[in-house]
Amino acid sequence: MNASPRKAAITGHPVAHSRSPLIHGYWLKELGIDGEYGRVDVAPEIAEEFYRNFSASGLIGANVTVPHKETAAKVCDWLDGAAKAMGAANTLWLDDTGRICGANTDGLGFLGNLDQLAPGWDNSTGSALVLGAGGAARAIVWALLSRKFTRVHIVNRTVEKAQKIAEEFGAGTFAHGWDELGTLLGETDLLVNSTSLGMTGKPPLEIDLAGLPKHALVNDIVYAPLETDLLKAAALRGNPTVDGIGMLLHQAVPAFERWFGVRPQVTDELRTLALKDLGVIS
Ligand code: ATR
């Protein structure tokens, strides 16, 4: 393996659409680090072998995207708490002894975004309501429990998926169907949309915010469009809002720091660069 430049990559199947090379490439250039960040498409039939023999890849670390996050977690010699809780790793590195280590930084990305754009948002950690029960919801539930939210309600069309997450995380997490949304909104301090509803090309997220307390923070992890109908409706009635692009950018921060030894910043310039690349703004 070449010691220099240090090389990391996004791995998954497919990887062509990933914005990770843009994000890490921006930081490598800004910080003047002699490193590279590429793309490695890992076919499903060789995924387990690829991650098990990660040290042979020539990479010092990698991001992992769908559909390999669970496979990557399975072969790791060490996992951080988030990856263990989610059974999925999105960040890999080799430690000094050559062990494969894995982390899941999606939840940290969610927290980093709110910490940056709504400082103090977790000063009073009451009741959170998460719409959706996919991989993103699982990371968000983990993140909210790590900040000591006392009640995390998960509302999903397929209620069984919400129940599975609530069972996994245990005390303080509750599963519901959409029919309970109206009642739940009244006791919500933080509302997060983690479904794909409201995304360009997907069905709209139709939700009546009437019962939502005016202090409740509203966050949408959808970032195309940047100001979703949910965020528009929330802002119109005076609720504080945070958009979703920051979660994508902040989940990359701990990975970059791990591989290249410097903690990078999520700047307005990076935000704009990513949004332009995604075609969200021109
Ligand atoms: P991710 O891993 O990014 O979270 P996902 O696993 O595909 O993505 O999850 C998408 C979420 O959006 C799910 O909660 C899904 O609800 P189901 O579990 O019932 O499928 C939700 N979702 C997608 N389309 C929806 C729709 N038309 N109505 C309600 N919920 C929808």
Side-chain angles (χ1 to χ4, degrees), residues 132-137 156-158 161 178 194-197 203:
N156 199 45
R157 172 179 61 180
T158 314
K161 281 167 72 180
W178 279 93
S194 82
T195 73
S196 48
L197 297 174

Side-chain angles (χ1 to χ4, degrees), residues 83-107:
K84 247 187 230 164
M86 286 173 241
N90 73 344
T91 302
L92 301 181
W93 67 94
L94 294 168
D95 73 6
D96 295 345
T97 61
R99 290 189 318 162
I100 310 164
C101 303
N104 195 310
T105 67
D106 288 333

